[in-house]
Amino acid sequence: MKQLLIIGFVWPEPKSSAAGSRMMQLIFSFLQQNYQITFATATAKTDNAFDLESIGVTVKAIELNSSSFDTFVKELHPDIVLFDRFLAEEQFGWRVAEQCPNALRILDTEDLHCLRRGRQQALKEGKEFDNSYLFNDTAKREIASIYRCDLSLIISEVEMDLLTNTFKIEPSILHYLPFLLDEIPSKSLHDLPSFEARQHFVTIGNFLHEPNYNMVLYLKTTIWPLIRKQLPKAELHVYGAYPSQKVFQLQNEKEGFLIMGVAAEVDEVMQSAKVCLVPLQFGAGLKGKLIDAMLNGTPCVMSAIAAEGMFGQLPPNGFIVATPQEFADQAVCLYNDKVFWEQSQEQGFECLKKRFMKSKFEMPFMNRVEELLKILPLHRQQNFIGSLLLHHSMQSTKFMSKWIEAKNA
């Protein structure tokens, strides 16, 4: 059996975040191909973490800035090492390259951190986002990490375009791999609660992720008052893992703005709501909350950033809007108009079937991995910038880590 080592930035929490769902999709794909998987991370296990051992995945606690990892990875001798975000590759990539030079190194970007942070900075300064915000220090680290790896998984077509056309990265070291969903039986879709059986609005998002808190604050101060003016009895139910005190302080029962905390069952929450609101002001990647909404037949009103990379040339499962007033008006329209609502629901089902089915993406990805394993030396010769960055830029990380290790001894 081939060995896959996953170096996790965090423990996967599929019920808390899209990143957690994404990681579990990758794990199940490799299990399907009979890989022996070890998941290693330096972070403490959380209550919401998926029980990886229950599906046959070995778990291993590792330390930052410690040669104990060198011994561990050399003994494991993995065929493939998958880094969960570029931050994990920065910490452990040079150690993997030294101890297991023949292992295929794959980076799962999750989303482009530099894009998200650049947009956040532009929003903070009240300016239009452009390349001056994109080419930030995070970009220099993240793009270097992409070059150092043999293959990087990109979740959004928009980010694929950005990497190839703006950053001029060779497509040979990139692979478009969106969310991987199982086939959805038609009966399951048509058994969902009807328009009449649902009520109120919903939004959801892990509050450890800054764009989600910003979104809820924007809803509270700007959009919800406009909706509430037209629908005085409507409620907005705000769900999300890890809500802080500043999140709970936004609750106002008189205004129908209710902080519900973590959603025990996302499907139940989505199926009870009539419309999902997603006015993200910054972010990157694909939005798991939109996938959850479409799976449960809940139409959405969303910002362009929320919709980015999701629908391609297909119509959205609702409305993509630009201004607060338009957002409120379209939310009220969806809430009141059964014809628009059912049409939007069907468009969501169509998007899932055409753009996110595992059957379309899983085997091409696995075939590419197998091909790279066979031609790895040649593949690396063609990525000279990657070998150059591994030789130079990682030396500073390497010796800083060794200095910290010596200091801690």
Side-chain angles (χ1 to χ4, degrees), residues 123-195:
L123 179 69
K124 186 178 178 181
E125 295 178 11
K127 295 180 180 177
E128 196 75 24
F129 174 78
D130 58 22
N131 284 353
S132 67
Y133 287 102
L134 178 62
F135 297 154
N136 50 47
D137 285 347
T138 298
K140 294 165 189 171
R141 295 168 58 193
E142 190 165 26
I143 300 304
S145 182
I146 288 172
Y147 272 113
R148 286 192 299 265
C149 290
D150 301 307
L151 191 68
S152 290
L153 308 182
I154 312 302
I155 203 169
S156 163
E157 290 163 326
V158 172
E159 295 180 3
M160 279 290 288
D161 180 71
L162 192 70
L163 290 169
T164 54
N165 293 317
T166 303
F167 287 105
K168 308 297 183 186
I169 296 176
E170 279 294 319
S172 61
I173 61 171
L174 305 174
H175 189 87
Y176 170 58
L177 194 69
F179 290 124
L180 305 172
L181 305 182
D182 292 316
E183 297 290 338
I184 312 158
S186 297
K187 185 178 184 301
S188 299
L189 296 177
H190 292 293
D191 285 346
L192 291 169
S194 65
F195 175 83

Side-chain angles (χ1 to χ4, degrees), residues 215-331:
M215 176 186 74
V216 171
L217 189 61
Y218 182 55
L219 277 166
K220 164 79 173 179
T221 59
T222 306
I223 292 174
W224 184 244
L226 298 174
I227 295 174
R228 183 78 169 180
K229 188 183 291 185
Q230 299 181 61
L231 297 171
K233 293 185 178 179
E235 296 174 3
L236 174 57
H237 298 173
V238 179
Y239 287 89
Y242 304 105
S244 62
Q245 190 57 41
K246 71 176 182 178
V247 174
F248 283 113
Q249 285 174 352
L250 298 176
Q251 167 137 330
N252 190 316
E253 291 186 20
K254 288 183 180 179
E255 296 173 358
F257 196 92
L258 307 177
I259 307 298
M260 312 299 286
V262 66
E265 292 296 335
V266 173
D267 291 345
E268 290 179 11
V269 164
M270 281 292 180
Q271 288 179 29
S272 67
K274 191 170 277 187
V275 177
C276 179
L277 305 179
V278 194
L280 284 165
Q281 299 297 284
F282 64 94
L286 295 179
K287 311 306 177 292
K289 52 180 72 63
L290 293 185
I291 293 287
D292 288 333
M294 288 190 280
L295 283 169
N296 291 288
T298 310
C300 298
V301 185
M302 66 207 95
S303 63
I305 283 177
E308 184 178 86
M310 187 65 67
F311 302 103
Q313 301 303 312
L314 299 176
N317 68 324
F319 296 102
I320 303 169
V321 297
T323 67
Q325 189 61 59
E326 186 186 5
F327 199 104
D329 292 345
Q330 299 291 33

Side-chain angles (χ1 to χ4, degrees), residues 360-384:
K360 181 178 180 181
F361 295 101
E362 187 176 57
M363 283 317 298
F365 167 54
M366 287 300 167
N367 290 338
R368 186 151 187 209
V369 167
E370 291 301 316
E371 180 190 354
L372 286 177
L373 285 169
K374 292 174 184 174
I375 61 162
L376 193 53
L378 176 62
H379 179 71
R380 286 178 176 169
Q381 280 177 26
Q382 295 168 345
N383 177 24
F384 181 74

